[in-house]
Amino acid sequence: MFKAPRGTADILPAEQPWWRYIESQAAAVCRLYGYERISTPAFEDAGLFARSVGEGTDIVNKEMYIFKDRSDNELALRPEGTASVCRAYLEHGMDNQPQPVRMYYFADIFRYERPQAGRYRQHHQFGCEAIGEASPMLDAEVIHMALSFFSSLGLTNFTLQLNSIGCRKCRPVYLQELKKYYQPLSQELCEDCRTRLGKNPLRLLDCKKPGCQRAAESAPRSADYLCEECSLHFQSLKGYLGDLGIKYTLNHRLVRGLDYYTRTVFEIQPLEGGSQSALGGGGRYDDLIGQLGGKATPAIGFATGMERIVMNLKNQGVEVPAAEKPAVFIACLGEAARCEALKTAARLREAGVSVIVSAGDKSLKAQLRNANSAGAAYVAIIGENEVSAGTVMLRNMQTSEQQELQQDDVISVLQADKIK
RNA sequence: GUGAGUGUGGCCCAGAGGCCUAAGGCGCCAGGUUGUGGCCCUGGAUAUCGAGGGUUCGAAUCCCUCCACUCACCCCA
């Protein structure tokens, strides 16, 4: 027997209400903020991710699904969403549109990792990007949007972690300081961190090993080394957030694992969370479009993992709208009735009524049982009597009342009961 | 990649060497008189006890190998 590949999951009908709920809330929030949907391919030129996410990151190093197609193109299933949106921005000359261009997406994301709670090899992200404007207003907008999305879902108990990691100008200075600080401590660091010290010192800060944690405590903070512009940007962002009544926690150890981030980085974490805590995260990536061959174009984005949202909704006992039940279940007895059932169903559906037709050859009792477990509001019974009279027996499953009706009267009864 | 735990019908699970030709619950199917659901009652189907090998007179139960899943680390959504 075949099984879904490791780290992938079927989202069964019973799970769909959560997904529908999340998707519709997301789309509603995006409408409120003027973001338009974009869909990009599930795979791209592998180089796109190597160049944007960064050669030194775990995502590119060990988590990408890379493959060659039959023409020897090196492709990768997307390990994140931002790179593709930026590629599309450039490819379609969106820099000619009024800036910033605001877009959102739902995307399947693929990363070759060992699965565990809240982590999958294929997962789904909802994200948004605002490309073409450097103002901290936009940072505030994206953060506000992310938070109001979670609130609109009914999630409480999460925090906003905020940091600024500077830009091309000031970050090198900071990294020097960081190295200077860590060098003498290198004996106390874990093996990974010792290599990070040379390759990607920012990552030293979010190592969870106790020794490294201690070292990180009193490490220099990026926010203290920002250049004039970055500092101003960060100050105004904090000001805007304050004005909007958004509470945040400054977290100098929040650095994020993708290389393209500049200035603002943020993460949203549930208060009582397992280890895969991040509900969502994002930040500014002012150099990325340039790195991909466009002109210098500032941008900021945010993404959230839908599986983790579902997890949190369940943990917090949030109720989501139930799946719609069929309005009418048609039960039929005998060959002549079967034909009549199909015709009746067609008529009802034309009127916009949802109908399940009982198929096969079951007893009326069995058909009613099926109707009950389908949650149908009404059952239309068509047997020999009804066929010859040209009627149906319409049974209200709630009240157990039933009446024999002319075909044409069925719809008006349903409408009177506001059933669709 | 590393470490730990688990693997019994569609699902939850009992079972700890012979009483297991594997229990129970949920679900599914059928019946409880002729064309009527939800509750209740009765009956039924569905398990080569993850796979392979070994120990033993005898293994779901012990040992080995493999596989899968879960959780954790790394990192993140």
Side-chain angles (χ1 to χ4, degrees), chain A residues 12-260:
Chain A
L12 302 175
E15 292 289 298
Q16 295 293 339
W18 274 283
W19 290 79
R20 250 197 307 279
Y21 176 65
I22 295 166
E23 281 163 17
S24 68
Q25 293 299 321
V29 168
C30 287
R31 187 188 72 80
L32 291 176
Y33 287 76
Y35 284 65
E36 291 189 292
R37 183 163 177 178
I38 180 171
S39 303
T40 64
F43 56 88
E44 299 267 2
D45 198 308
L48 171 65
F49 301 115
R51 199 163 330 156
S52 58
V53 175
E55 299 278 5
T57 60
D58 286 353
I59 289 181
V60 169
N61 268 342
K62 51 180 204 188
E63 294 175 5
M64 275 215 286
Y65 276 91
I66 302 191
F67 62 97
K68 282 199 169 153
D69 70 7
R70 289 163 194 271
S71 313
D72 256 15
N73 299 309
E74 196 162 66
L75 302 168
L77 299 181
R78 61 178 161 218
E80 61 105 38
T82 300
S84 303
V85 174
C86 290
R87 194 224 76 233
Y89 174 92
L90 287 169
E91 184 170 340
H92 299 98
M94 294 190 207
D95 53 336
N96 288 311
Q97 294 177 18
Q99 306 293 298
V101 178
R102 294 176 167 91
M103 293 181 279
Y104 77 93
Y105 59 84
F106 296 105
D108 304 29
I109 302 292
F110 304 87
R111 291 183 198 168
Y112 189 85
E113 305 178 86
R114 289 288 288 267
Q116 59 183 281
R119 166 183 297 164
Y120 306 91
R121 289 189 171 176
Q122 178 184 12
H123 75 276
H124 301 77
Q125 289 187 6
F126 156 60
C128 64
E129 315 287 348
I131 305 174
E133 172 58 59
S135 164
M137 281 182 73
L138 220 47
D139 303 48
E141 173 178 296
V142 166
I143 289 172
H144 191 248
M145 181 169 160
L147 293 173
S148 64
F149 168 57
F150 291 125
S151 307
S152 81
L153 290 170
L155 289 176
T156 53
N157 287 332
F158 51 83
T159 64
L160 169 64
Q161 307 282 314
L162 186 68
N163 195 16
S164 174
I165 56 173
C167 67
R168 230 180 328 182
K169 257 187 351 202
C170 51
R171 182 142 32 146
V173 180
Y174 168 63
L175 292 183
Q176 275 313 314
E177 286 303 314
L178 206 54
K179 282 188 192 172
K180 215 186 290 173
Y181 166 81
Y182 268 110
Q183 221 97 59
L185 299 173
S186 97
Q187 294 313 313
E188 296 165 42
L189 300 176
C190 70
E191 211 177 309
D192 288 337
C193 280
R194 261 174 262 155
T195 56
R196 284 181 186 129
L197 189 50
K199 268 172 39 189
N200 196 347
L202 266 190
R203 300 228 59 80
L204 284 161
L205 292 171
D206 65 359
C207 184
K208 283 171 195 153
K209 299 254 162 55
C212 308
Q213 294 246 19
R214 247 180 290 113
E217 281 302 320
S218 37
R221 307 178 166 212
S222 59
D224 296 334
Y225 291 83
L226 299 177
C227 63
E228 185 69 26
E229 290 90 341
C230 287
S231 179
L232 267 171
H233 184 95
F234 198 34
Q235 288 309 320
S236 354
L237 170 59
K238 287 187 284 189
Y240 294 145
L241 292 179
D243 292 342
L244 286 166
I246 293 173
K247 294 213 170 61
Y248 55 85
T249 307
L250 288 178
N251 181 348
H252 75 280
R253 294 173 50 187
L254 178 68
V255 294
R256 320 258 317 140
L258 293 79
D259 283 352
Y260 54 60

Side-chain angles (χ1 to χ4, degrees), chain A residues 217-377:
Chain A
E217 281 302 320
S218 37
R221 307 178 166 212
S222 59
D224 296 334
Y225 291 83
L226 299 177
C227 63
E228 185 69 26
E229 290 90 341
C230 287
S231 179
L232 267 171
H233 184 95
F234 198 34
Q235 288 309 320
S236 354
L237 170 59
K238 287 187 284 189
Y240 294 145
L241 292 179
D243 292 342
L244 286 166
I246 293 173
K247 294 213 170 61
Y248 55 85
T249 307
L250 288 178
N251 181 348
H252 75 280
R253 294 173 50 187
L254 178 68
V255 294
R256 320 258 317 140
L258 293 79
D259 283 352
Y260 54 60
Y261 285 115
T262 55
R263 293 190 168 173
T264 311
V265 292
F266 64 96
E267 216 162 83
I268 286 149
Q269 302 174 352
L271 283 180
E272 72 262 29
S275 27
Q276 271 63 54
S277 48
L279 252 178
R284 194 160 259 296
Y285 48 95
D286 290 341
D287 297 334
L288 178 52
I289 303 271
Q291 276 162 24
L292 294 177
K295 64 185 184 200
T297 307
I300 182 163
F302 161 79
T304 175
M306 315 237 302
E307 280 81 358
R308 291 192 184 171
I309 293 178
V310 171
M311 237 169 78
N312 278 275
L313 288 172
K314 289 180 179 173
N315 285 344
Q316 296 190 18
V318 175
E319 304 243 348
V320 303
E324 257 187 63
K325 303 293 187 199
V328 178
F329 184 102
I330 299 184
C332 49
L333 295 156
E335 187 52 40
R338 278 196 255 274
C339 177
E340 214 39 59
L342 288 172
K343 288 197 283 185
T344 302
R347 230 173 282 132
L348 289 170
R349 289 171 183 146
E350 248 170 77
V353 176
S354 59
V355 182
I356 289 181
V357 180
S358 174
D361 188 21
K362 295 179 181 172
S363 69
L364 181 60
K365 184 193 187 96
Q367 295 186 64
L368 279 162
R369 256 205 278 263
N370 291 163
N372 191 61
S373 51

